[in-house]
Amino acid sequence: MNDTVELSLTQDQALVLFEVFARFEESDCLRLLNNAESLALSAIAAQIEKSLVQPFDPQYGELLKQAQARLAAGYEGLAPGVER
């Protein structure tokens, strides 16, 4: 029995999640309930990090803004959990 699950993300989704995970590691802004949640998120973050080249691009900030805009296009108001 194979106990792995494969996920598929767009480049925009991966880039935005990469930034979320990086922000979390720097500030602990996400409240987790146990170590298993932290370990699961770390595993996903590591896989995303290995697949991206954009974080090394000098224009990373602009690439991130563009990815965020594409993902949020058409969404009205603030999504649940978004503070600003």
Side-chain angles (χ1 to χ4, degrees), residues 56-71:
F56 302 104
D57 190 303
Q59 299 298 315
Y60 172 72
E62 184 58 33
L63 294 171
L64 176 61
K65 286 180 186 178
Q66 292 170 3
Q68 291 168 330
R70 285 189 296 267
L71 284 177

Side-chain angles (χ1 to χ4, degrees):
M1 179 175 151
N2 186 348
D3 63 348
T4 63
V5 173
E6 290 188 33
L7 302 175
S8 179
L9 300 172
T10 66
Q11 284 288 316
D12 287 346
Q13 291 167 333
L15 189 57
V16 169
L17 284 174
F18 172 82
E19 186 65 22
V20 170
F21 291 140
R23 190 171 65 241
F24 169 68
E25 286 182 9
E26 292 175 3
S27 68
D28 292 330
C29 64
L30 177 65
R31 185 175 181 149
L32 301 177
L33 301 178
N34 56 57
N35 287 346
E37 292 175 349
S38 177
L39 293 168
L41 286 175
S42 292
I44 293 169
Q47 290 180 50
I48 289 173
E49 188 173 338
K50 288 192 300 187
S51 70
L52 294 175
V53 296
Q54 294 93 326
F56 302 104
D57 190 303
Q59 299 298 315
Y60 172 72
E62 184 58 33
L63 294 171
L64 176 61
K65 286 180 186 178
Q66 292 170 3
Q68 291 168 330
R70 285 189 296 267
L71 284 177
Y75 194 92
E76 299 292 328
L78 293 177
V82 176
E83 295 179 5
R84 51 182 164 106

